[in-house]
Amino acid sequence: MGSFLISCSLCPCRPNPSVSAQGRQSVGAKNNVTEFVSLGLSQGREMQRACFLGFSLFHVLTVLGNLLVIVTINASKTLHAPMYFFLSHLSSADTCYPPATTPKMIADTLVERKTISFEGCMTQLFSAHFFGGTEIFLLTAMAYDRYVAICRPLHYTTIMGRRRCGLLAGASWVAGFLHSILQTLLTVQLPFCGPNEIDNFFCDVHPLLKLACADTYVVGLIVVANSGMISLVSFIILIISYVVILLSLRSRSSEGRRKALSTCGSHIITVLLVLVPPHVHVHSTLHHPGR
């Protein structure tokens, strides 16, 4: 599933107005919520059946497609360039990302009451941010690989050696983990004492902040800084790298430009699909925080 599910659209949140100040004082830091109820994608039975069939098919195709990419790259004797190395890691993250949220979402279309335990909710939140964040960092590493390949072709094999590629891929996974653990720790320490209906189809930070029995404004700011800035900074880095690439192609022949751009086309499309939707959403949310 698209990495736009990563919550870079979060905004600073005030406590749920349905929880009285007296209730918050009496509860304090106590957590009385053992499960959350998801409102899901739709309440109509016909629409839920359509969602079940559509998302089941899409989920299976996504997982099988990514597994096919991983097997093909690892089994081939010719696909060992750094670009395919990063693509294999990206497919691995994208294979693990849908199971974090999609199976539960599909199962919920078959039941009337869509519940998830507190522990399951936190696990879902962590997994979605971990694999989603890792994808963004891997895309940035792939942009660096394309920059070196086009702008410094004579030094490409030296710069993008096996060791550096491994370090970039490993750093992407570590950065994704650090991003995710921060999001999870910020959420799990909040007190939940009353409302437990999540206005979403999976557990994410923003819907949970609305349910907390505390003032979550500061936590919301930290979440925006962590999630929103990661996507925004990564997007800016990607734009700069491709601007430099395009400028370097001006002195090349039309055939050289065509070959260079053909190697970047799929990466540019992936970047746009992953980063543009959440960037637009975070811009809209920050200007309309009441939504």
Side-chain angles (χ1 to χ4, degrees):
M1 300 290 274
S3 297
F4 60 84
L5 293 180
I6 188 172
S7 62
C8 49
S9 60
L10 301 177
C11 68
C13 299
R14 295 294 183 181
N16 193 314
S18 62
V19 182
S20 66
Q22 182 179 0
R24 292 187 206 106
Q25 292 175 358
S26 62
V27 173
K30 187 176 181 181
N31 190 347
N32 291 333
V33 173
T34 59
E35 67 177 14
F36 293 99
V37 179
S38 172
L39 297 182
L41 293 171
S42 172
Q43 301 300 319
R45 293 304 305 166
E46 293 299 323
M47 181 59 70
Q48 288 190 2
R49 292 192 187 97
C51 288
F52 173 80
L53 294 175
F55 283 110
S56 296
L57 177 62
F58 186 70
H59 176 64
V60 171
L61 291 177
T62 299
V63 173
L64 290 180
N66 282 295
L67 288 175
L68 179 61
V69 171
I70 296 171
V71 172
T72 301
I73 292 175
N74 286 277
S76 175
K77 296 182 179 180
T78 59
L79 301 180
H80 292 299
M83 178 177 64
Y84 298 109
F85 173 78
F86 289 119
L87 182 60
S88 177
H89 278 270
L90 184 65
S91 295
S92 297
D94 206 33
T95 300
C96 299
Y97 185 60
T101 57
T102 309
K104 183 67 171 65
M105 179 182 68
I106 294 174
D108 283 344
T109 62
L110 302 177
V111 297
E112 192 69 28
R113 183 176 169 82
K114 305 167 178 56
T115 61
I116 184 171
S117 67
F118 182 88
E119 292 77 13
C121 184
M122 294 301 114
T123 301
Q124 194 177 74
L125 185 154
F126 173 82
S127 301
H129 280 268
F130 175 39
F131 296 113
T134 300
E135 283 187 1
I136 292 179
F137 292 116
L138 285 171
L139 286 173
T140 307
M142 291 173 72
Y144 175 72
D145 170 67
R146 292 299 84 204
Y147 160 76
V148 176
I150 295 173
C151 298
R152 304 187 64 183
L154 298 179
H155 301 89
Y156 179 68
T157 55
T158 302
I159 297 175
M160 298 302 297
R162 183 180 296 272
R163 177 180 173 81
R164 177 162 295 185
C165 289
L167 288 174
L168 287 172
S172 298
W173 286 95
V174 172
F177 174 80
L178 294 177
H179 157 72
S180 181
I181 199 67
L182 177 58
Q183 298 287 328
T184 306
L185 291 177
L186 286 172
T187 307
V188 75
Q189 52 84 33
L190 293 173
F192 298 95
C193 55
N196 66 339
E197 287 191 348
I198 301 176
D199 188 13
N200 204 349
F201 56 90
F202 76 107
C203 286
D204 204 0
V205 182
H206 182 48
L208 292 173
L209 290 179
K210 291 182 177 180
L211 302 180
C213 304
D215 190 336
T216 58
Y217 187 76
V218 174
V219 175
L221 286 176
I222 298 174
V223 165
V224 168
N226 181 251
S227 278
M229 291 306 295
I230 284 176
S231 290
L232 182 59
V233 171
S234 297
F235 184 73
I236 292 174
I237 292 174
L238 291 168
I239 292 296
I240 293 175
S241 67
Y242 276 105
V243 168
V244 174
I245 289 173
L246 292 175
L247 291 176
S248 70
L249 294 178
R250 292 187 302 176
S251 59
R252 299 191 183 185
S253 64
S254 58
E255 180 65 18
R257 288 195 295 268
R258 187 187 65 80
K259 289 183 178 180
L261 291 175
S262 66
T263 66
C264 301
S266 58
H267 182 251
I268 293 175
I269 294 173
T270 305
V271 168
L272 293 176
L273 290 174
V274 170
L275 293 180
V276 169
H279 173 64
V280 173
H281 195 176
V282 70
H283 182 274
S284 174
T285 304
L286 290 174
H287 281 78
H288 304 279
R291 293 192 304 184

